[in-house]
Amino acid sequence: MLDQNVAPPQMSLRTPDVVMRLRRMGASFPTRLSFLRVLLRRLSAEKAHITRPVWAMDSDGFGHAVYSVTFGGHVYSLVAVSTDLPPELRTDRVIASAWDTAYVLYDGVPSGDEIARIVATAPLQEAARFTVRDLVLSRANKSVRLFAHTVERLRAGGQPDAGLVRSIGYLMRTTAVYGNGKFGIADRDVFATRDSMGGPFMAEMLTVWLIRGFTHDLVEHVGGAPLDAHLKRHLGIGNSTGLGMAPFLVSHPMLLNAWITSRETALARVRAIETLEAAQVGVIYKLVARAAQHLAEWQVPDDIGQQRIDQMRREWPQLAALMTPDVMAGRMPLDRLWLASATFSIDTQECLAALMIEPFGGLVDDLCVTMATQKCVTLDPSMPCAELQALIARDWAWAMGDYEIPEACHQFWYVSEAKAEPRLGLRHEEDGAALESPLDIARQVACLAQDLQGGGSVAALLARHPEHRAAVRRVQSLDRAPYAEIRDNLIGQDCLPIDMLRCKLGFFGAAKFDPKSDRWTRITLCQGAPLRDELGDADDWWLPTFDA
């Protein structure tokens, strides 16, 4: 284990100008620092036991169930509600008003009255209101083809087709996992100081993992027979994610900085390893082979996405060929490998970064505790404008441009009135720019720079130009948090929101990204993750493959 009193050696961290570009952020892969991985390790360390005190399902799988787990000294219960949804109402779009299943993660063990309340309100989702005992609200729809096929095979005494399980990978997919006070559920502050729940999105990840187990139980109940454990392990929980998630990275810059800093520090630490043991080399070779198979199994209809996967497939054998016995037995093998990877695509580089971190939990897992932060952006009115100007010259050259040209202000972010969800409009084709959300950080700072020619303090500047308050705050905060800002124009024609989605989803632990446009994607969570009775072996499921 890592000595907490001695800072481990590390190479220099990659610069924000490299890391914080949308294209590279959009090539993110899950790592052992991803929140699902952290959750499962904590559950395993606590020898957590999951019970199912309530199973009130009819023969067709409609009804409700309750799962309870003691975690960090507190009991949490998932209340799952399954309803008979007409096919014409089934959609992953945010306009949906009904779903196959709905869920609440409850703080404690719900009484009969509380279960009845949740069973009545959870299927209504946004149309209902919840209480401080409700920590997370979610809903999911069936993958109708695989769910029906699995039921049919189980009833016939068989198992679902392995190829179909491999190609789809989940029985249900969530369309929202709400936390932090939405619709009356508990604010994160209610449980953030509890043991094991202080990390980012721990309550949401616990909800997703429990939902995944419920989908297994439900299909076995309706099918009347157990699933093969190998097939069951490969059935994760799907997710459909759109623009609603993208602005989070902009509105939480200090949290983004904490996530990226932790990951980049992990990479810098493993690059500094002077020599590898034979067992460690063996693990790396095993992961290289696993990643190759994962890429072979990863097929998407999206042309751009598939082209990137195909390029990775071509490059991966070339990368593997660099890992000769002489290199791996020599000095600084991982740093040599990393430097050599610069000739490959961004996607291949980022997959390699995740792979290199994977075998070295004892060296990097302590960084998990740094991924939550109470820091927030602050404003220093006493700063001289000359100093602010120097910060802009040093950190914001990428933002300086002419935002009057159509390509530079092609789109605008806004919040829909109907669903209170973020959306994108085309500035030169659609109305609504007057209601624009302030995600145009680059343009804001460029406008600030134009008014910084005079001297004096920031306070005096803001007295003259109060419209620059948010931009000043961002510039000053970035000085202390180098990975806090996405270094691209988020209203420009070239901005692809899906890159923002993939960055955040990679930190969740998502894999098998399946983009449906540049604004939404399907993913798989918990694929390969341990089942409820396998928590003792909770940590070897990075980029799972079907026969792993």
Side-chain angles (χ1 to χ4, degrees), residues 154-199:
L154 291 178
R155 286 177 173 174
Q159 291 290 321
D161 178 75
L164 200 59
V165 170
R166 180 175 60 247
S167 63
I168 297 177
Y170 50 81
L171 294 165
M172 291 190 191
R173 56 180 173 268
T174 60
T175 62
V177 183
Y178 293 125
N180 200 21
K182 263 206 165 185
F183 316 121
I185 63 178
D187 290 333
R188 187 176 184 275
D189 289 347
V190 170
F191 55 86
T193 58
R194 298 179 187 177
D195 287 346
S196 300
M197 289 293 274

Side-chain angles (χ1 to χ4, degrees), residues 516-536:
K516 299 304 179 183
S517 76
D518 63 8
R519 301 185 182 193
W520 74 284
T521 185
R522 287 179 179 166
I523 57 167
T524 306
L525 294 160
C526 298
Q527 191 172 57
L531 306 174
R532 291 196 298 268
D533 58 352
E534 297 177 332
L535 285 173

Side-chain angles (χ1 to χ4, degrees), residues 175-336:
T175 62
V177 183
Y178 293 125
N180 200 21
K182 263 206 165 185
F183 316 121
I185 63 178
D187 290 333
R188 187 176 184 275
D189 289 347
V190 170
F191 55 86
T193 58
R194 298 179 187 177
D195 287 346
S196 300
M197 289 293 274
F201 293 94
M202 285 296 101
E204 290 87 345
M205 296 301 100
L206 178 60
T207 301
V208 168
W209 184 70
L210 291 172
I211 290 173
R212 181 245 198 164
F214 166 72
T215 70
H216 297 163
D217 288 357
L218 188 66
V219 80
E220 290 179 334
H221 172 77
V222 179
L227 277 166
D228 173 78
H230 173 66
L231 295 176
K232 187 187 296 190
R233 201 174 299 115
H234 199 72
L235 288 168
I237 186 77
N239 175 266
S240 182
T241 295
L243 284 175
M245 180 179 284
F248 182 94
L249 300 182
V250 184
S251 58
H252 296 78
M254 305 307 277
L255 192 58
L256 176 61
N257 178 74
W259 296 359
I260 301 292
T261 299
S262 298
R263 187 195 65 196
E264 292 303 304
T265 301
L267 178 61
R269 285 182 182 180
V270 300
R271 286 178 57 196
I273 296 174
E274 290 200 19
T275 58
L276 294 172
E277 299 173 3
Q280 292 172 327
V281 174
V283 171
I284 291 170
Y285 284 160
K286 181 184 76 170
L287 293 175
V288 169
R290 183 189 299 178
Q293 184 171 343
H294 183 90
L295 293 174
E297 294 176 3
W298 186 10
Q299 295 284 144
V300 299
D302 179 72
D303 288 340
I304 295 176
Q306 190 59 50
Q307 288 172 15
R308 293 178 180 177
I309 296 169
D310 290 342
Q311 183 171 12
M312 291 184 68
R313 289 173 180 167
R314 293 191 298 269
E315 292 178 342
W316 202 251
Q318 301 171 38
L319 179 67
L322 299 176
M323 303 181 195
T324 64
D326 286 345
V327 168
M328 302 305 282
R331 187 175 178 277
M332 308 298 290
L334 296 179
D335 188 53
R336 291 176 62 186

